[in-house]
């Protein structure tokens, strides 16, 4: 099975970069390579988007962008953090802010429900919530066409109806406090913070939304092709932004310009720009390179393009890699996953990245593209030191490969101060094969306990060949406690981190042993 999320080939560079905002084209001639979308919007009078945290955690800056979709909807509206993305990265693209959704005389259905149900108090975060809610409102398949019932309060979302069943991506028949009867997934609002309302009226507004009306212009736009990527060169303030036309040009630039900093979703680089005041002399955008945006399943492996967003990978895999399905909901927020990529998360080589422990447990390999062509490196051999890797100048991550068959006893345990949208103190990925009660294979990836993400090799050796019993788990957990070289910092002490490693394996056994609690 093969699916792709490739835009059309990049167009030749335009003489003047521009972006379409709320249906109108605007020049980026006054922007620099480091100007964020948020700053640019506010400089041009669109002040609905606010700066709260300036690092992608509060969502007050949320906007909608048009991105490639699938099937009957070749364009999809997604929400992203405007505070993190350089506006040059949106050259040739389409943006919608809260101001572009409705008017004073005719509110958008999302705006109307927020007003009717008291979803706004001080109003600071409201435009961000509205953009994230609107992206979910237009999500294809959110509101099933069958079994529609009359809305609870008459006219709802312009249709007067809400769906009687749930999101088709949600387990059949399951009803919980995070999914509405209209298919609305509250996780689409993760990353949007509001200190005034207590969230209940916001949830009520979300659950009251019906299906978009047939004449909705945003629905009509979804049925047209997505904006093609544009090869971009923007220079100002002794810095340059380049979007290469293809992978070959990208590799050439990286080989010739050692000062280049790669930019994908900008969820990490954006923080460097806004919080730390970093001003890289050269930003090279790879997020729309077609060669990095494929998703393929073969008989031997899964192949994931390094520039696919985490949300795109999540939808494309549709649960076929269960361990990744456990990772996605705990990886930052939906706003971040709509921009962040596996390539970026692995490229930073952070010891506390969320994906490395899972991918290590899955025995992932990386395909590195460089001046000498492609080469494949096991992820376990990729990290060489703190934020250091085997990549040489001119190389970048092209693809992540996950071999089959997949282990069936799996778990991802993330220990953090918050359940969602937080940096982990410790992260553990488990992938075990338990056949006839015996552990025949064990792979355990760890994050937050060493200068790099690591495999728990001693614990794996202790488990393999042993019965999957409480005694085995207890003995192996004692060894897992000693893996790595955890440090003490403001997130956790080294003693706590070691204790969490031990407890994570005991928890896995308790969760996966039949008849045990």
């Amino acid at each position: 099975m093969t699916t792709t999320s490739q835009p059309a080939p990049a167009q030749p560079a335009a003489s003047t970069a521009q972006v379409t905002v709320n249906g109108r084209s605007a020049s980026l001639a006054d922007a620099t390579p480091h100007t964020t979308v948020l700053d640019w919007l506010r400089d041009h009078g669109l002040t609905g988007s606010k700066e709260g945290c300036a690092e992608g955690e509060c969502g007050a800056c949320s906007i909608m962008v048009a991105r490639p979709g699938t099937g009957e909807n070749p364009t999809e509206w997604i929400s992203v953090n405007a505070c993190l993305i350089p506006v040059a990265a949106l050259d040739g693209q389409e943006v919608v802010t809260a101001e572009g959704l409705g008017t004073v005389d005719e509110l958008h259905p999302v705006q109307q429900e927020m007003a009717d149900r008291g979803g706004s108090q001080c109003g600071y975060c409201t435009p961000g919530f509205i953009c994230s809610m609107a992206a979910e409102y237009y999500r294809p398949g959110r509101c099933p066409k069958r079994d529609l019932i009359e809305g609870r309060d008459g006219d709802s979302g312009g249709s007067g109806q809400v769906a009687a069943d749930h999101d088709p991506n949600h387990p059949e028949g399951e009803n919980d406090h995070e999914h509405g009867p209209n298919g609305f997934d509250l996780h689409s609002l993760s990353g949007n913070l509001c200190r005034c309302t207590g969230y209940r009226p916001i949830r009520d507004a979300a659950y009251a939304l019906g299906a978009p009306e047939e004449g909705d212009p945003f629905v009509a736009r979804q049925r047209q092709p997505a904006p093609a990527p544009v090869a971009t060169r923007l220079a100002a303030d002794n810095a340059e932004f380049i979007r290469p036309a293809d992978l070959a040009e990208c590799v050439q630039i990286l080989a010739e310009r050692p000062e280049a900093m790669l930019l994908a979703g900008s969820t990490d680089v954006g923080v460097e720009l806004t919080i730390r005041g970093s001003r890289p002399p050269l930003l090279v955008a790879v997020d729309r390179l077609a060669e990095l945006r494929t998703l393929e399943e073969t008989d031997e492996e899964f192949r994931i393009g390094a520039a696919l967003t985490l949300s795109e990978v999540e939808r494309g895999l549709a649960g076929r890699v269960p361990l990744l399905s456990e990772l996605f909901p705990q990886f930052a927020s939906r706003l971040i996953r709509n921009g962040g990529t596996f390539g970026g998360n692995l490229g930073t080589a952070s010891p506390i990245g969320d994906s490395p422990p899972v991918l290590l447990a899955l025995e992932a390999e990386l395909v590195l593209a460089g001046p000498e062509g492609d080469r494949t490196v096991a992820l376990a051999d990729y990290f060489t030191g703190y934020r250091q890797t085997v990549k040489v100048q001119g190389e970048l991550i092209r693809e992540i490969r996950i071999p089959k068959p997949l282990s069936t006893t799996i778990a991802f345990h993330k220990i953090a101060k918050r359940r969602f949208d937080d940096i982990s103190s410790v992260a553990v990925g488990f992938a075990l094969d338990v056949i006839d009660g015996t552990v025949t294979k064990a792979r355990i990836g760890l994050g937050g306990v060493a200068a790099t993400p690591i495999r728990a090799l001693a614990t794996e050796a202790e488990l393999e060949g042993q019965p999957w019993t409480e005694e085995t788990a207890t003995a192996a957990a004692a060894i897992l406690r000693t893996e790595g070289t955890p440090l003490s910092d403001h997130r956790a002490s080294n003693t706590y981190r070691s204790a969490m490693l031990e407890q994570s394996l005991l928890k896995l056994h308790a969760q996966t042993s039949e008849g045990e609690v």
Side-chain angles (χ1 to χ4, degrees):
M1 176 179 178
T2 302
T3 56
T4 61
S5 183
Q6 297 187 34
Q11 302 169 356
S15 57
T16 303
Q18 57 185 10
V19 61
T20 298
V21 182
N22 298 334
R24 296 183 178 182
S25 180
S27 171
L28 299 180
D30 59 345
T32 75
H34 308 125
T35 303
T36 65
V37 177
L38 175 63
D39 286 342
W40 186 87
L41 287 172
R42 294 184 65 79
D43 286 344
H44 287 76
L46 296 171
T47 56
S49 297
K50 310 293 199 306
E51 181 178 289
C53 65
E55 57 184 354
E57 288 194 2
C58 74
C61 64
S62 301
I63 58 172
M64 294 200 309
V65 296
R67 286 290 187 244
T70 57
E72 297 179 356
N73 296 282
T75 293
E76 179 180 2
W77 295 109
I78 69 163
S79 55
V80 296
N81 294 113
C83 73
L84 297 178
I85 304 170
V87 71
L90 296 182
D91 180 20
Q93 304 302 296
E94 297 178 26
V95 172
V96 175
T97 69
E99 293 94 336
L101 285 170
T103 67
V104 174
D105 297 325
E106 186 176 358
L107 294 178
H108 185 275
V110 171
Q111 295 169 326
Q112 188 67 58
E113 289 295 350
M114 286 284 278
D116 290 347
R117 297 170 190 276
S120 175
Q121 288 190 19
C122 81
Y124 191 88
C125 63
T126 305
F129 265 101
I130 284 172
C131 284
S132 292
M133 290 175 70
E136 173 67 4
Y137 176 68
Y138 290 115
R139 176 169 60 82
R142 172 192 64 84
C143 199
K145 296 179 181 179
R146 66 183 186 278
D147 299 330
L148 291 175
I149 60 174
E150 197 64 26
R152 287 167 290 180
D153 293 313
D155 188 16
S156 176
S159 68
Q161 295 176 321
V162 295
D165 52 357
H166 299 283
D167 184 343
N169 297 319
H170 195 55
E172 187 68 26
E174 184 175 337
N175 187 11
D176 61 39
H177 67 284
E178 294 174 344
H179 297 83
N182 58 351
F184 194 101
D185 183 0
L186 282 185
H187 284 286
S188 65
L189 299 179
S190 67
N192 288 98
L193 299 181
C194 177
R195 300 300 186 192
C196 300
T197 63
Y199 296 98
R200 184 193 56 76
I202 296 174
R203 181 202 63 192
D204 291 347
Y207 286 177
L209 291 166
E213 292 185 343
E214 186 60 31
D216 190 313
F218 295 99
V219 173
R221 179 62 189 88
Q222 286 182 294
R223 294 170 182 167
Q224 302 300 317
V230 176
T232 303
R233 286 181 180 263
L234 189 153
D237 289 352
N238 298 314
E240 191 173 8
F241 178 99
I242 299 177
R243 183 184 301 284
D246 53 32
L247 180 59
E249 182 186 354
C250 180
V251 168
Q252 181 180 356
I253 293 171
L254 296 180
E256 296 174 352
R257 306 278 298 272
E259 75 277 17
M261 177 176 288
L262 288 174
L263 183 79
S266 197
T267 57
D268 187 73
V269 174
V271 176
E272 296 293 325
L273 297 177
T274 60
I275 298 297
R276 297 183 176 90
S278 173
R279 293 296 180 263
L282 174 59
L283 291 171
V284 179
V286 300
D287 57 316
R288 313 310 295 168
L289 291 180
E291 298 94 332
L292 275 61
R293 290 183 52 76
T294 60
L295 181 62
E296 181 180 2
E297 179 182 3
T298 69
D299 291 337
E300 293 78 29
E301 61 192 1
F302 294 90
R303 299 174 181 175
I304 302 170
L308 287 174
T309 70
L310 297 172
S311 291
E312 289 174 323
V313 177
E314 182 179 10
R315 287 195 306 270
L317 290 178
R320 299 199 303 276
V321 183
L323 187 51
L324 288 182
S325 296
E326 292 205 6
L327 164 69
F328 290 129
Q330 301 181 68
F331 194 115
S333 66
R334 176 60 70 189
L335 283 167
I336 294 296
R337 295 197 298 276
N338 284 343
T341 65
F342 277 132
N345 200 232
L346 297 172
T348 62
S350 170
I352 54 174
D354 281 344
S355 71
V358 167
L359 294 173
L360 284 169
L362 291 169
E363 298 183 282
E365 295 180 330
L366 305 183
V367 178
L368 304 180
E372 305 302 320
D374 291 353
R375 64 181 176 122
T376 302
V377 177
L379 182 59
D381 300 326
Y382 170 74
F383 304 103
T384 59
Y386 178 71
R387 291 191 179 271
Q388 297 177 338
T389 72
V390 299
K391 286 188 302 180
V392 299
Q393 185 173 327
E395 284 189 322
L396 74 161
I397 302 172
R398 174 178 184 149
E399 187 176 75
I400 297 90
R401 294 182 176 177
I402 299 173
K404 293 180 176 181
L406 301 174
S407 297
T408 55
T409 300
I410 55 95
F412 174 58
H413 294 164
K414 178 176 178 176
I415 294 90
K417 291 184 178 180
R418 298 194 301 264
R419 182 185 178 197
F420 298 119
D421 199 12
D422 200 3
I423 296 173
S424 63
S425 299
V426 177
V428 188
F430 292 103
L432 279 60
D433 288 335
V434 181
I435 300 176
D436 296 330
T438 299
V439 180
T440 59
K441 179 181 175 182
R443 297 292 182 267
I444 304 172
L446 307 179
V449 296
T452 69
I454 60 172
R455 283 258 304 274
L457 299 175
T459 307
E460 293 173 1
E462 176 69 16
L463 285 169
E464 290 182 347
Q466 299 299 314
W468 186 229
T469 61
E470 183 178 354
E471 291 74 18
T472 296
T474 300
I479 294 175
L480 185 56
R481 183 187 184 109
T482 67
E483 301 266 23
T485 54
L487 300 176
S488 295
D489 60 19
H490 63 284
R491 293 190 183 92
S493 67
N494 57 355
T495 302
Y496 178 82
R497 287 187 163 101
S498 295
M500 290 302 98
L501 291 179
E502 182 176 24
Q503 290 300 312
S504 66
L505 183 52
L506 297 176
K507 179 179 179 179
L508 174 71
H509 180 265
Q511 290 176 327
T512 60
S513 298
E514 188 174 348
E516 296 189 35
V517 178

